[in-house]
Amino acid sequence: MIKATRVLCGLFAMLILVATLPAHAQTYVDMFDFVDANGCCPSYPGVLAQGRDGNLYGTTQNGGTNTYGTVFVMNLSTGFLSTLYSFDIPHGQGPQAGLAMGFDGNFYGTTYLGGASPGVGVLFKFTPGGPPTILHNFANTTDGAYPRQPPIPAPDGNLYGVTGNGTNYVVYRVTPSGTFTPVATAPGYSYAPLLLATDGKLYGVTNFGGTYNGGTVFQLTLGKIPKVKIIYSFGSSQSTGFNPTGGLMQASDGKLYGTTPNGGSSSGGVLFQLTTAGGYKVLRSFAAAAPATDGYGPLAGLVQGSDGFLYGVNPNGGASGFGTLFRINTTGSTFQVLHNFDGVSGANPTSTPILATNGKIYGMTMSGGAFHQGVFYSFDNALKPFASLFVIWSGKLGNSLDILGQGFSNATGVKFGTGPGTFVAGNDTYMTATVATGSTTGHVTVLEPAGNLASPQTFKVIPTISGFNPSSGQVGTSVVITGTSFLQTTAVKFGGVKATVFTVNSDSQITAIVPTGAVTGKVVVTTKGGTATSPTAFTVTP
């Protein structure tokens, strides 16, 4: 637990900052200094996870009672950091990865070492209040070894991760109950967690491999037999960067963004943009040579704020030489150093920052602080609080999704796009919302007296067709199509031919005219949320 003197000093410092800085000022706060039993030296990727209670959970790779690393929670309301578990060798050693929350509200992670013989790492589930549950002991065979990333949840209810043992690089699937299955071969070793994109596919980076052995970005398509496809190979030239370590993030424009610690036109690494089809662009090259005011050598991933900017950290350079916290727009035309780490309040940030639903950015440094063992920090840039959709970004009428945020105890309603939804608040920071009649594709908004919270993600409401009447007819016949979620219909087809005339009568009914050239085949309705196909064919008669 935090020592009382440390907390009082931290709170006093925060009060001074709040009292002296103008409204909407950029405020950096060293919230906690790691030391020995509380954990030590959080490293990359060091992923933080926001729980259903609104707090942030993470790991340190060293320290704790047994010196093998810890699981901790930072209470965002009180500013207290508590050590929840100290690893021992049987439960793993060196949890470098951080944590990811699953659909069940538990946390999942890996350790780089420890576990059963040969002691090359474990995959665990963690429920606050008890020791980790070991889901898999890596055996250094076909399952790989030395995992450095947490598995992330996917819409199929399973979790996916990447590991390797020097010759065998494995993409694996694990169920919440612990059934572990290698499902594909990765292009190389990966330090970063996978990213679930809005297209339903997973994207990852490898530190090496690919055409030029400079690392890759790969795409994992889920299904009965998951498939890996390399969409970009790093190392074609020095200027484009190579050896990516930090994970990818998907911005509101649908493009992927990330960093490399090496390469670039100034040899200090790059920040890049990538389309899901593989279109690559360097947005900024960092300079390793003095004075290196922007910082250089990024090992962490990025986050996007409600202002549209991407936020990230460099572990080296800056005004004091201990790294920087920066923001950049998605075109690369605007770059700004927001904070220079000074050593006293943190140094050498390598863990990926997280944007919590309260609008603040949180992260950790590997060193610096009062005990030179790293700090847990917050950065307030006056970004708006928001509601975060958990993993599921599309669904049909009656489907539910989890939402994280704040103030849910006072929520009065939920909207999907411009239409209504229903909800059940589990607590003040977690709710379950359900797609209802009239829900439309768009941002999900939680209605609250203190101010509505909108999701940065778009939720797609998928239509369905239950039937049509009549079942056959000539060109020019008026056909009534019944189903769900028709309000945003953009096209109707008969046997693959577009109807030039159709009317959306309601969310559950469309009247369409069989078009010239139509052939016998199924009826297809396309909306902004997706496509629905009729269970039977419409017969076009002479």
Side-chain angles (χ1 to χ4, degrees), residues 68-82:
Y68 298 129
T70 67
V71 177
F72 66 82
V73 59
M74 169 59 78
N75 187 308
L76 298 187
S77 297
T78 64
F80 279 85
L81 187 146
S82 303

Side-chain angles (χ1 to χ4, degrees), residues 36-37 40 60-70 86-88 93-95:
D36 298 331
C40 170
T60 63
Q61 63 177 337
N62 299 309
T65 304
N66 304 309
T67 73
Y68 298 129
T70 67
S86 291
F87 283 90
D88 52 23
Q93 173 185 351

Side-chain angles (χ1 to χ4, degrees), residues 78-413:
T78 64
F80 279 85
L81 187 146
S82 303
T83 299
L84 300 178
Y85 181 76
S86 291
F87 283 90
D88 52 23
I89 292 177
H91 288 90
Q93 173 185 351
Q96 186 172 330
L99 299 171
M101 188 175 72
F103 286 106
D104 54 7
N106 295 311
F107 298 95
Y108 294 80
T110 60
T111 67
Y112 177 67
L113 296 170
S117 180
V120 292
V122 305
L123 191 159
F124 65 85
K125 175 169 67 176
F126 182 76
T127 304
T133 299
I134 304 302
L135 299 182
H136 182 73
N137 282 283
F138 289 92
N140 202 20
T141 57
T142 57
D143 62 345
Y146 311 117
R148 294 181 188 250
Q149 57 165 271
I152 64 108
D156 63 4
N158 300 308
L159 298 101
Y160 291 81
V162 182
T163 187
N165 60 9
T167 57
N168 183 37
Y169 303 103
V170 179
V171 179
Y172 65 82
R173 176 178 63 226
V174 63
T175 67
S177 61
T179 300
F180 181 96
T181 308
V183 295
T185 299
Y189 196 82
S190 179
Y191 290 87
L194 296 169
L195 165 74
L196 174 64
T198 54
D199 60 6
K201 299 177 182 179
L202 301 176
Y203 292 83
V205 298
T206 62
N207 190 245
F208 57 89
T211 305
Y212 312 102
N213 202 33
T216 71
V217 175
F218 67 92
Q219 177 191 79
L220 177 68
T221 302
L222 301 180
K224 188 174 182 180
I225 303 178
K227 296 180 180 179
V228 167
K229 176 184 177 182
I230 295 175
I231 63 171
Y232 184 76
S233 289
F234 293 90
S236 60
S237 71
Q238 167 78 18
S239 63
T240 56
F242 52 93
N243 303 132
T245 302
L248 299 168
M249 64 85 59
Q250 186 174 34
S252 57
D253 60 7
K255 296 176 182 177
L256 309 179
Y257 293 84
T259 64
T260 74
N262 299 317
S265 59
S266 301
S267 303
V270 307
L271 191 154
F272 65 84
Q273 176 194 84
L274 184 71
T275 68
T276 55
Y280 184 85
K281 178 182 179 182
V282 173
L283 294 186
R284 191 165 188 90
S285 288
F286 296 104
T293 53
D294 293 346
Y296 65 92
L299 293 167
L302 305 161
V303 294
Q304 186 175 35
S306 57
D307 56 1
F309 281 82
L310 309 179
Y311 290 75
V313 292
N314 277 318
N316 309 297
S320 302
F322 294 110
T324 61
L325 187 154
F326 62 82
R327 73 172 186 171
I328 186 172
N329 64 357
T330 54
T331 64
S333 61
T334 301
F335 178 90
Q336 179 185 12
V337 172
L338 301 175
H339 177 73
N340 285 283
F341 291 91
D342 59 8
V344 177
S345 59
N348 312 122
T350 59
S351 67
T352 298
I354 185 175
L355 178 67
T357 55
N358 62 8
K360 295 182 181 180
I361 293 171
Y362 297 87
M364 299 180 290
T365 69
M366 188 166 61
S367 57
F371 308 102
H372 310 291
Q373 295 181 6
V375 309
F376 187 106
Y377 67 84
S378 69
F379 185 79
D380 186 354
N381 201 36
L383 301 176
K384 295 179 181 179
F386 61 95
S388 179
L389 311 185
F390 185 73
V391 179
I392 303 297
W393 299 316
S394 64
K396 299 177 181 179
L397 178 68
N399 288 170
S400 297
L401 70 151
D402 294 339
I403 302 178
L404 303 178
Q406 49 275 315
F408 291 168
S409 297
N410 297 317
T412 59

